[in-house]
Amino acid sequence: MRKDKFYIGTLFLIAVSSTIALGFHDGLEFNTIALTIALYWIFSIIYFNLRYIFTTNKGITLDYGISYSLSIAVFLGPLGLLIYETLNRISVYISRKLTKTADEEEGLHTFYNIGSFALSSTFAYLLYWWLEPFFIQIPLGYWVLIVILMIIVVSLSDLFLAVILYLWGEITDRGKFVRFIKDRSFNDTLKSALSNGFLLYLLLENQFELVFVFFLINYTINRSIVYKARATQDKIERDQFEEMAYTDFLTAAYNRAYMNKRLEELADNASGEQIGIAIADLDRFKQLNDQYNHYVGDQVLQHFIDQVRLYLGEDGEVFRSGGEEFTLFIYGKTFDETYDLIDQLRQNIKTTSVTVDYLGKPENVEYSSSFGLYYFTISDEKSIEKAHIHADDLLYVSKERGRNRLTSHDATK
């Protein structure tokens, strides 16, 4: 028999035998037991959609959410807790089967959840009724006791789960075990303690209408929090996807798709803003690749982009518009300032070698770049698409004149 199955079976049998042996808490009527289990069961099913789902490295799905087992265990006793946990976990099992989201061994996980939650909360039940006479004599003693019990319940649950993760190969050393324990949020534990403490207080006072209202309010608040969190996560993922779609993988510069998008945005704006469009091309880049290899060429491209970003700062954008061709948009500068910036960049590239990894050894590689700069005012008469073409023509002139040059035109005069 597999070790994890033996462990889960043993945990389940111990939980069932101990809860049956301890039975219900003294003095409870059948109607009270049935009503309490029904309320907890119904709202647990409703709360199921608010759980946090985590998939382990082995593809095993784990759920995290607020557990109300402590309050029902202390009020009804271990047997009432077992009945509730069984109904709750079987409902989850059926739901996952119907929605086809169940793991291959969902049934085994169901037995584990029943056993672990029943056993840890049964221990808390025994501690509560043993310690309660002492704690009620001190200020806020009831709440202190509830928090202590919740920490114990959470710790036992984490310990049970850590054993399972160890048997599944998720936790392989002490360091991973420590990280697993540290991942537990104390705020979540405190929230669970306060929720269970308030529910238990209402149950002990026989305020079942308020128990219903509490569950309803708690669900509404948590639903709002979860939906906002999911919306935020969706936005982050959309932003990340958009960034990936508009970013060149090698250089991390914007790609041609984003450049076309920016050209359209600037064309639609027609704000009268003065802008410099520079197109740069690395000189004799094919020869560099042939002399070394494409990996060295990639390192040179990355070095070029680093230098461009250093000079542009917050005053412009850089796009990889071709293999070794780049387009720069420079904002908020005069023609002379734009010209000086590009020319200083050109000279720095020529005089600064880049250290690359070539055949496992460092190698200093020198290269140069040519630029075409077109400076103009964005307007309906002068489209930015045409300006980009003019800049490309100016780059061609720089190439014809011997490379490592800057050819410019100020169209604002």
Side-chain angles (χ1 to χ4, degrees):
M1 178 182 288
R2 276 173 25 192
K3 291 181 180 180
D4 60 333
K5 287 186 176 181
F6 177 78
Y7 170 73
I8 290 173
T10 302
L11 196 69
F12 178 78
L13 290 176
I14 293 174
V16 170
S17 58
S18 60
T19 53
I20 292 176
L22 291 169
F24 294 105
H25 189 61
D26 295 338
L28 291 176
E29 297 180 357
F30 175 78
N31 290 340
T32 300
I33 295 172
L35 179 58
T36 305
I37 292 175
L39 276 174
Y40 273 69
W41 180 33
I42 290 170
F43 276 97
S44 293
I45 294 172
I46 296 173
Y47 283 5
F48 179 65
N49 291 326
L50 303 182
R51 69 202 186 283
Y52 169 71
I53 302 175
F54 170 71
T55 303
T56 69
N57 295 329
K58 303 292 184 181
I60 301 159
T61 301
L62 303 176
D63 293 349
Y64 289 100
I66 295 180
S67 169
Y68 298 102
S69 298
L70 175 62
S71 54
I72 195 172
V74 173
F75 181 66
L76 292 185
L79 186 54
L81 167 67
L82 177 66
I83 295 172
Y84 157 70
E85 285 293 348
T86 302
L87 289 172
N88 180 30
R89 301 301 167 178
I90 290 177
S91 299
V92 170
Y93 174 81
I94 294 172
S95 173
R96 284 180 170 166
K97 284 293 185 180
L98 291 175
T99 57
K100 297 182 179 180
T101 57
D103 292 331
E104 292 182 1
E105 296 186 333
E106 192 67 38
L108 185 66
H109 300 167
T110 300
F111 281 104
Y112 165 75
N113 285 325
I114 294 172
S116 62
F117 279 93
L119 200 56
S120 58
S121 294
T122 294
F123 186 64
Y125 162 81
L126 296 172
L127 284 178
Y128 178 86
W129 291 111
W130 176 45
L131 297 174
E132 188 258 354
F134 304 101
F135 275 86
I136 61 171
Q137 300 179 32
I138 62 176
L140 298 176
Y142 169 79
W143 293 104
V144 173
L145 177 58
I146 291 296
V147 171
I148 292 173
L149 292 178
M150 182 54 67
I151 292 173
I152 292 173
V153 168
V154 168
S155 300
L156 284 174
S157 298
D158 285 349
L159 182 60
F160 293 149
L161 183 56
V163 173
I164 280 290
L165 294 177
Y166 170 75
L167 295 175
W168 286 341
E170 295 285 347
I171 294 179
T172 56
D173 53 49
R174 183 179 299 178
K176 289 185 177 180
F177 173 75
V178 172
R179 286 195 296 273
F180 169 75
I181 297 299
K182 286 184 177 180
D183 282 343
R184 171 66 68 176
S185 169
F186 179 75
N187 288 335
D188 288 344
T189 302
L190 184 60
K191 183 167 65 174
S192 296
L194 295 176
S195 297
N196 278 274
F198 191 64
L199 279 170
L200 177 59
Y201 176 80
L202 294 177
L203 290 171
L204 294 173
E205 295 295 322
N206 203 32
Q207 298 290 332
F208 284 92
E209 289 184 2
L210 292 180
V211 170
F212 177 83
V213 172
F214 173 83
F215 273 128
L216 200 58
I217 293 174
N218 203 26
Y219 170 76
T220 303
I221 294 173
N222 280 280
R223 184 175 183 272
S224 175
I225 293 171
V226 168
Y227 276 31
K228 286 181 179 178
R230 287 175 181 172
T232 301
Q233 182 63 30
D234 288 343
K235 183 180 183 304
I236 291 172
E237 290 176 355
R238 285 196 303 271
D239 292 344
Q240 289 175 340
F241 179 78
E242 182 173 308
E243 182 179 350
M244 290 173 61
Y246 288 140
T247 302
D248 175 60
F249 177 76
L250 174 63
T251 63
Y254 293 124
N255 59 19
R256 191 176 186 88
Y258 188 68
M259 185 187 77
N260 293 334
K261 180 174 181 289
R262 289 291 292 134
L263 286 171
E264 291 178 4
E265 291 172 351
L266 292 169
D268 292 339
N269 193 14
S271 60
E273 177 185 3
Q274 292 182 333
I275 179 176
I277 296 183
I279 299 183
D281 188 84
L282 273 61
D283 298 328
R284 298 184 175 88
F285 187 71
K286 184 180 183 304
Q287 293 180 19
L288 187 146
N289 275 331
D290 292 341
Q291 180 181 350
Y292 295 98
N293 53 44
H294 287 283
Y295 178 64
V296 170
D298 290 346
Q299 294 176 80
V300 171
L301 290 173
Q302 292 166 342
H303 177 267
F304 176 79
I305 281 294
D306 290 341
Q307 296 302 305
V308 171
R309 286 201 180 97
L310 183 64
Y311 276 82
L312 282 187
E314 300 295 326
D315 297 325
E317 297 171 297
V318 57
F319 311 86
R320 188 181 183 187
S321 46
E324 65 271 17
E325 182 182 283
F326 297 87
T327 299
L328 287 66
F329 292 173
I330 301 98
Y331 307 106
K333 294 184 180 297
T334 65
F335 169 74
D336 290 338
E337 290 171 338
T338 304
Y339 183 94
D340 289 343
L341 185 149
I342 298 298
D343 199 47
Q344 289 172 17
L345 170 62
R346 179 191 63 80
Q347 294 179 45
N348 181 71
I349 289 169
K350 177 59 180 175
T351 58
T352 303
S353 62
V354 51
T355 303
V356 301
D357 181 13
Y358 178 59
L359 301 179
K361 297 179 180 179
E363 180 91 7
N364 291 326
V365 175
E366 296 181 352
Y367 70 101
S368 64
S369 57
S370 300
F371 293 84
L373 169 63
Y374 188 80
Y375 188 85
F376 78 114
T377 302
I378 303 174
S379 65
D380 294 331
E381 292 77 20
K382 295 181 179 179
S383 71
I384 194 163
E385 291 88 353
K386 289 182 179 179
H388 187 265
I389 294 172
H390 291 321
D392 197 38
D393 292 338
L394 293 168
L395 170 64
Y396 182 77
V397 174
S398 294
K399 292 285 189 180
E400 287 292 305
R401 290 178 176 175
R403 297 180 173 83
N404 186 31
R405 294 177 182 273
L406 167 59
T407 305
S408 64
H409 176 71
D410 183 1
T412 62
K413 294 181 179 180

